[in-house]
Amino acid sequence: MLTRSWARAAAGVLAAVLLQGPAAVATAAPNEICLPSGFCYIEDIRPAVPSSPVTVPARAPAPAQCTSLTGAVVPCYQDNLGWYESSSGCYLKLMDPQPPPGSLLWEGRTQEDGGALYTANCGAVDGGSLSSTATGIVWRRGPPADFIDPEVLAQRALAAMQLQPPLLRTAPPQGSASGLVGLPVWMWTDRAENVSGPITRSAAEGPVAVEATGVVSRIAWDMGDGTTVACGLGTPYSPGAEGPSPDCGHTYDRASANHVPGGGPWQVTATTTWTVTWSGGGRTGTEVVQLSSTGALLVGELHVLNQAEER
């Protein structure tokens, strides 16, 4: 099982949307993002719309059939066995996870030696069946010829999702002057497949296919006053509703004008945590993706005049 996490912020772009209200439309120039692994994708933050699959160029398909040492025709890849290695006549499947350093299975090899351990299933005959069920463990410096890395396909499927940060919605709305100390604030995000999930995309190359599914684990709201509220997607406010949100809300006990330099609004940041699981090619993995957007809430105080004292 492979697990990785990375984060991306889109605060500057979406802040303009929030301060202008729901009708505003924001545009931004695409930005190329490269991960430490060397995988790159294009970030283009725009109003949330249902995403569609993205066509990703692939290399030439791997051959569907290979020739064994005896001249028999066998599949180059089988889900339960892995990739066929013509030089040994064995199917090799990467061990996932790899044994820890120092394990006897490494036979004295260290991380400096590189390579990886594979389960080896040998004795393929016509049709790809096995004349022997003997399975061993072998070390190889590199993968078998024509190997297609499922993790690369998983990254393609993830890129095809075009995951977006939350599209913040609040009641009272951002940009208004109706927020008051003691008045419950409702928070939620717009719904769209690539904003609120779940979303599933797949990628394939040659005989290997990987499917990835992303779900929103939580949305954390930094309310600007030192409070962080952990929610799900939140419940949209219905006109006339009274009281606090049933699942995602906050009540300010201080006016923003008294605590924000210049008397401005509270700065609000919402961060969506996506959990993306994938499987295929005999491998599984998990990606944790965090995307953020910002807004602003002006919170004032209601002053009541005591007319009896004035008289």
Side-chain angles (χ1 to χ4, degrees):
M1 163 98 46
L2 296 176
T3 302
R4 174 184 304 164
S5 65
W6 50 277
R8 161 161 67 101
V13 177
L14 288 185
V17 180
L18 298 173
L19 294 177
Q20 296 176 38
V25 176
T27 59
N31 181 32
E32 184 177 31
I33 304 294
C34 291
L35 304 180
S37 64
F39 173 77
C40 295
Y41 70 99
I42 299 298
E43 176 188 55
D44 190 4
I45 302 299
R46 301 181 188 276
V49 295
S51 63
S52 56
V54 174
T55 301
V56 180
R59 68 182 184 184
Q65 294 182 326
C66 291
T67 302
S68 72
L69 295 175
T70 62
V73 176
V74 297
C76 291
Y77 173 79
Q78 298 193 69
D79 281 335
N80 62 325
L81 300 177
W83 292 86
Y84 184 71
E85 184 182 58
S86 299
S87 60
S88 66
C90 300
Y91 280 96
L92 302 184
K93 186 174 183 179
L94 183 69
M95 295 183 69
D96 185 13
Q98 291 280 289
S103 169
L104 295 178
L105 296 175
W106 289 104
E107 297 181 339
R109 297 184 181 88
T110 65
Q111 292 182 344
E112 287 72 22
D113 295 318
L117 293 178
Y118 297 78
T119 56
N121 210 317
C122 307
V125 296
D126 290 350
S129 60
L130 296 174
S131 59
S132 171
T133 58
T135 298
I137 296 176
V138 298
W139 175 86
R140 293 289 186 270
R141 186 171 299 278
D146 300 315
F147 171 77
I148 297 172
D149 190 349
E151 188 175 359
V152 172
L153 297 183
Q155 294 294 338
R156 292 181 185 173
L158 175 59
M161 292 180 184
Q162 301 180 2
L163 299 180
Q164 300 292 300
L167 291 186
L168 278 62
R169 296 291 181 258
T170 64
Q174 290 93 352
S176 75
S178 55
L180 294 172
V181 170
L183 178 68
V185 178
W186 290 46
M187 297 103 70
W188 70 96
T189 182
D190 279 355
R191 268 56 167 181
E193 186 182 33
N194 59 343
V195 175
S196 56
I199 181 172
T200 298
R201 293 290 182 268
S202 60
E205 186 173 337
V208 181
V210 168
E211 183 176 272
T213 298
V215 297
V216 172
S217 304
R218 73 168 192 162
I219 300 178
W221 295 72
D222 182 342
M223 305 307 296
D225 64 346
T227 303
T228 299
V229 182
C231 303
L233 302 177
T235 299
Y237 177 78
S238 298
E242 297 182 357
S245 165
D247 54 9
C248 190
H250 179 61
T251 300
Y252 287 96
D253 59 9
R254 293 173 290 165
S256 58
N258 298 335
H259 299 276
V260 176
W266 293 114
Q267 297 299 310
V268 178
T269 300
T271 301
T272 298
T273 298
W274 288 87
T275 300
V276 181
T277 56
W278 61 268
S279 62
R283 305 276 294 282
T284 61
T286 301
E287 302 277 352
V288 178
V289 182
Q290 291 186 321
L291 306 177
S292 298
S293 53
T294 63
L297 277 172
L298 186 64
V299 177
E301 293 180 306
L302 181 63
H303 296 281
V304 179
L305 294 178
N306 191 329
Q307 296 181 354
E309 290 183 358
E310 291 184 351
R311 290 198 298 269

